[in-house]
Amino acid sequence: MRKKRIRIILIVIIALFILGMAFFPTLKKNFTGQKEKPVAVAAEKKQGKKDKPLNVNVKVLKYESLEDVVRTTGNLLPDEEVNLSFETSGKITRIYFKEGSQVKKGDLLAKVNDLPLQAELKKLETQLPLAKDRVFRQKSLLEKDAVSQEAYEQVNTELEKLYADIDLVKSRIAQTELRAPFEGVIGLRLVSEGAYVSSAVSVARLTKISPLKIEFSINERQASQVGEGTKLKFRVQDDLKEYIATVYAVESQVDMSTRTLSVRATYPNPDRKLKPGRSASVEIQLRAINNTLTAPAQAVIAEMGRDIAYIYKNGKAQQVVLSKGLRTESKLQILDGVSVGDTLIVNGVMQLRDGMPVVIDHVE
């Protein structure tokens, strides 16, 4: 009886095992099918995204001119400038200039009291006729051997000394006069008549603004391309006019802290419209290349020591290796790698791969 029971149990287990094997594929599909479906869909989406074309802008290459231009900021400086002061001390008796007026070289601008010096000069000049007469008489006597050579030389020396004293007083009188050392515009007056001044007191400032100087700095790499005679353009704020200046001097050495070189140019400023102290936007054309292929700087990337770009061909991006020449702020010269008529892709270069589908949005 016991053996019969065991036999029945075994038969039931075997039957259940067979049934389980028969229905296992269906159960696996019911329990695992939903989990595999998202993975398959994601794979399909990924594949679809990979094949989706990238919208790009392109440029049809043609021969152009490329200019190597330096743009920097400079300052307008006067051609000459000086703080005017007397060479001597004294009380100002007259001021002859008008503030803000144009004066010529040598114009008398102001004067300090010179009455004592004028009196001394008059005293010396009254002694001059008598001293000359003595020399004349002594010379006549010397020719007749009536006086010695020594006596003649003594009176002649006294005359020369008198001349020297007169010249000394006249030079001191000249120091009481303040004259313009060059032509220019005189600024605001800093003293008044009656004020006591010395050489340390500034009377006014004289500025020569025609011509004007423009001072600016260039990078050390451009130093060899800018020199005496180089032409430049500059503009000042709130003025639409473009002015032309000429470089006349370059600093002898590069500033070690900034690695720049100071340059000065001159502008005639004939109408004296521009004033010193203003800032100026300076533009220098170092060189120009005609009939060359150019590309926007963003269209070319460096990759593993190569300069690569992409051209549009049959709906796909085709990678090309370039040989480049002159580079400016926004463009570069292409020497080899592309030809006239090629369609260069100018944006989205970092996302592109060789053979990737693209769609043209805009043609430059």
Side-chain angles (χ1 to χ4, degrees):
M1 190 71 181
R2 184 179 178 183
K3 291 182 179 179
K4 186 178 180 180
R5 190 178 297 170
I6 292 173
R7 190 180 300 164
I8 293 171
I9 292 172
L10 289 173
I11 292 170
V12 171
I13 292 173
I14 291 170
L16 292 174
F17 179 75
I18 293 171
L19 290 173
M21 291 297 290
F23 289 100
F24 178 74
T26 305
L27 294 173
K28 182 180 178 182
K29 183 177 180 180
N30 292 336
F31 284 98
T32 64
Q34 295 299 326
K35 294 181 180 180
E36 291 178 350
K37 184 177 180 181
V39 177
V41 172
E44 291 175 1
K45 288 183 178 181
K46 184 176 181 181
Q47 184 68 23
K49 184 177 180 180
K50 181 178 179 181
D51 296 334
K52 184 179 179 181
L54 180 68
N55 291 38
V56 295
N57 297 335
V58 298
K59 173 185 178 181
V60 178
L61 296 180
K62 59 182 179 180
Y63 287 122
E64 298 177 333
S65 296
L66 184 63
E67 295 181 348
D68 187 9
V69 178
V70 175
R71 292 181 176 86
T72 184
T73 301
N75 296 308
L76 300 185
L77 305 176
D79 185 51
E80 301 290 350
E81 186 175 40
V82 65
N83 288 325
L84 299 170
S85 59
F86 285 96
E87 294 182 68
T88 187
S89 301
K91 184 176 70 173
I92 295 178
T93 56
R94 288 292 302 273
I95 292 177
Y96 298 96
F97 67 88
K98 181 181 178 182
E99 295 170 289
S101 64
Q102 182 79 18
V103 297
K104 296 180 179 179
K105 181 178 180 179
D107 283 355
L108 180 61
L109 305 177
K111 188 170 180 61
V112 297
N113 182 26
D114 67 346
L115 291 179
L117 293 174
Q118 292 289 354
E120 187 176 352
L121 177 62
K122 187 176 182 180
K123 176 182 175 182
L124 293 172
E125 288 178 339
T126 57
Q127 299 174 18
L128 197 58
L130 180 60
K132 288 181 179 180
D133 187 56
R134 286 176 181 173
V135 172
F136 177 77
R137 289 198 308 268
Q138 290 294 325
K139 185 177 181 181
S140 298
L141 293 172
L142 180 63
E143 291 174 350
K144 298 176 182 179
D145 292 328
V147 295
S148 65
Q149 181 72 27
E150 182 180 359
Y152 169 74
E153 290 180 352
Q154 184 176 358
V155 294
N156 190 62
T157 300
E158 290 176 355
L159 177 61
E160 294 297 327
K161 182 178 179 296
L162 185 58
Y163 276 128
D165 289 340
I166 291 173
D167 288 341
L168 179 61
V169 174
K170 285 182 177 180
S171 66
R172 288 176 177 172
I173 292 174
Q175 289 180 333
T176 66
E177 299 175 345
L178 182 61
R179 294 184 179 273
F182 50 81
E183 182 180 359
V185 177
I186 197 162
L188 302 180
R189 181 159 51 89
L190 303 177
V191 295
S192 300
E193 289 185 2
Y196 185 86
V197 295
S198 66
S199 58
V201 177
S202 179
V203 175
R205 177 177 295 178
L206 180 63
T207 305
K208 186 177 181 181
I209 64 174
S210 179
L212 273 182
K213 296 175 181 177
I214 303 96
E215 185 175 70
F216 58 95
S217 297
I218 58 174
N219 191 286
E220 60 179 337
R221 293 190 299 271
Q222 302 152 348
S224 61
Q225 297 174 280
V226 177
E228 184 178 356
T230 300
K231 298 292 183 180
L232 62 89
K233 302 174 184 178
F234 73 95
R235 296 176 182 271
V236 294
Q237 191 174 8
D238 300 327
D239 189 346
L240 298 178
K241 185 177 178 180
E242 185 175 76
Y243 301 93
I244 306 297
T246 305
V247 173
Y248 75 90
V250 180
E251 186 58 85
S252 59
Q253 65 179 14
V254 174
D255 189 318
M256 296 182 64
S257 60
T258 61
R259 297 298 177 188
T260 58
L261 192 68
S262 295
V263 181
R264 283 187 179 179
T266 182
Y267 168 67
N269 198 25
D271 54 2
R272 302 184 181 90
K273 178 182 177 181
L274 298 180
K275 304 297 182 184
R278 302 191 66 179
S279 63
S281 300
V282 178
E283 181 178 299
I284 309 174
Q285 180 178 303
L286 300 180
R287 56 175 170 159
I289 301 175
N290 298 320
N291 298 325
T292 188
L293 295 179
T294 66
Q298 73 271 15
V300 182
I301 59 174
E303 185 178 277
M304 300 180 65
R306 304 177 305 166
D307 294 307
I308 66 171
Y310 291 90
I311 61 174
Y312 176 85
K313 196 165 187 179
N314 299 325
K316 293 184 179 181
Q318 179 180 325
Q319 187 182 101
V320 291
V321 179
L322 302 179
S323 174
K324 62 184 182 181
L326 173 66
R327 185 184 186 97
T328 66
E329 293 180 358
S330 59
K331 293 183 178 181
L332 55 86
Q333 179 189 14
I334 304 175
L335 302 177
D336 193 20
V338 291
S339 304
V340 174
D342 284 346
T343 304
L344 181 71
I345 299 175
V346 298
N347 71 321
V349 181
M350 298 298 293
Q351 305 173 43
L352 292 175
R353 296 293 179 269
D354 195 23
M356 182 176 180
V358 291
V359 175
I360 297 177
D361 270 353
H362 175 70
V363 180
E364 292 186 6

